[in-house]
Amino acid sequence: MNHPLTLAEANAILHAALADARSRNMPPVAVVVLDAAGHPVALQREDGASMLRADIALGKAWAAAGMGAAGSVLHGRAQGNPAFFNALAATGQGKFIPQAGSVPVLRDGIVIGAVGASGGKGEDDEAICAAGAAAAGLATA
């Protein structure tokens, strides 16, 4: 039986991702942790992060949760199949953002949620997401 992402795990992911962002001296970021159904479980936007950061982080996480792949992987796939990824964005009513900066979160090989970040370079956003999941003892894809 697979256990869903807990609030405690989501908060651990979020806090570790923010700590990793500070250790990298990134600009202010927003981090969003979603459950497997794409619902927000934890969200924080650092002081100084622009108003769009939380929405962008949510869209990146939503894409990762829905497709079971990291944002950087989805971005690469979108380059080769733009019509399909445009359809996904439309279907997701604007929540689907296939850009670097998110990872799906797995337990026993099953997607139980995703984490997305926005504020830095895409690769740095994605790295802090992965660091957050690892700190919580969870795998990523």
Side-chain angles (χ1 to χ4, degrees), residues 46-93:
E46 290 184 310
D47 296 342
S50 73
M51 63 181 246
L52 294 175
R53 294 296 169 207
D55 290 332
I56 294 168
L58 188 144
K60 289 178 179 183
W62 208 77
M67 298 295 285
S72 59
V73 172
L74 295 176
H75 180 71
R77 290 179 186 169
Q79 301 303 305
N81 197 353
F84 177 67
F85 277 82
N86 285 335
L88 287 172
T91 300
Q93 299 173 341

Side-chain angles (χ1 to χ4, degrees), residues 24-67:
R24 294 168 180 268
N25 295 313
M26 291 174 63
V29 299
V31 177
V32 178
V33 183
L34 306 178
D35 65 15
H39 300 291
V41 181
L43 180 156
Q44 286 193 11
R45 183 180 59 84
E46 290 184 310
D47 296 342
S50 73
M51 63 181 246
L52 294 175
R53 294 296 169 207
D55 290 332
I56 294 168
L58 188 144
K60 289 178 179 183
W62 208 77
M67 298 295 285

Side-chain angles (χ1 to χ4, degrees), residues 6-18 33 42 131-133 135-138:
T6 67
L7 177 60
E9 289 170 328
N11 283 330
I13 292 168
L14 186 134
H15 292 295
L18 290 174
V33 183
L138 296 164

